[in-house]
Amino acid sequence: MKLSSLILATSVAPLFACSSATDMVTQQAEVQPNEARIDFFANRGEAFDNKREYVKLMCFNQRPNGALVLRDVEPGEHVLFVQASVVNTDLPDGTTREAIVRLDVNLEGGKRYSLNQSRDHHDMKVWLQETDSGVPVSDIVTTRVEYPKSVGDLRLEQCKEGTV
């Protein structure tokens, strides 16, 4: 009797897990009309490259935040501080080069936006674009990724100036 209950439970559980996972993905794909969603950029590197590239929002609640997550924000004008990083996985310490970029944007509610970049060695271009159309909604900012410098309270000051 106990064995048949166990078999039934293990065969039915995946059905519920799949439907709830599908619901979660659907909810994440939908953006509410009173929100704009900003997604990060991640390039895990090619097999021959061994470099990982990331572009993410540097701030959340106007404080530095290192999380690599998508964020829902209010529509309207925003000052975004973005952290662009290149991590060399060939080296034992995973040497990182980075740049901080300010993007001034005006976001529409109900839309999804993605951070994007293109890189040529240490020179990088960073921008925010509408995810569906690929149209840039910010200026394309040219920067240089360098070894991080000691910045003291600069990151906190930048985040306080930002709107996210």
Side-chain angles (χ1 to χ4, degrees), residues 29-101:
E30 296 174 5
V31 180
Q32 301 302 314
N34 61 341
E35 295 176 335
R37 181 163 298 158
I38 301 174
D39 203 352
F40 58 88
F41 172 89
N43 178 1
R44 307 274 191 230
E46 303 293 329
F48 61 87
D49 189 337
N50 293 326
K51 289 188 175 45
R52 296 181 181 180
E53 302 169 336
Y54 304 96
V55 181
K56 62 184 180 177
L57 291 175
M58 183 177 80
C59 311
F60 184 65
N61 287 332
Q62 294 186 300
R63 296 194 182 321
N65 184 305
L68 193 63
V69 298
L70 52 93
R71 297 274 184 212
D72 289 333
V73 299
E74 293 179 5
E77 293 184 15
H78 284 280
V79 174
L80 306 176
F81 282 93
V82 173
Q83 181 179 19
S85 304
V86 178
V87 181
N88 187 344
T89 58
D90 274 344
L91 302 175
D93 62 351
T95 302
T96 301
R97 294 177 185 264
E98 68 179 25
I100 305 301
V101 173

Side-chain angles (χ1 to χ4, degrees), residues 144-163:
R144 188 161 178 85
V145 287
E146 301 175 332
Y147 293 113
K149 299 174 182 150
S150 177
V151 293
D153 291 334
L154 178 61
R155 300 280 192 265
L156 181 58
E157 291 170 17
Q158 289 169 320
C159 288
K160 285 182 179 179
E161 181 183 339
T163 58

Side-chain angles (χ1 to χ4, degrees), residues 1-16:
M1 183 78 170
K2 289 182 181 180
L3 183 58
S4 63
S5 297
L6 179 63
I7 291 172
L8 178 64
T10 57
S11 63
V12 173
L15 295 175
F16 292 108

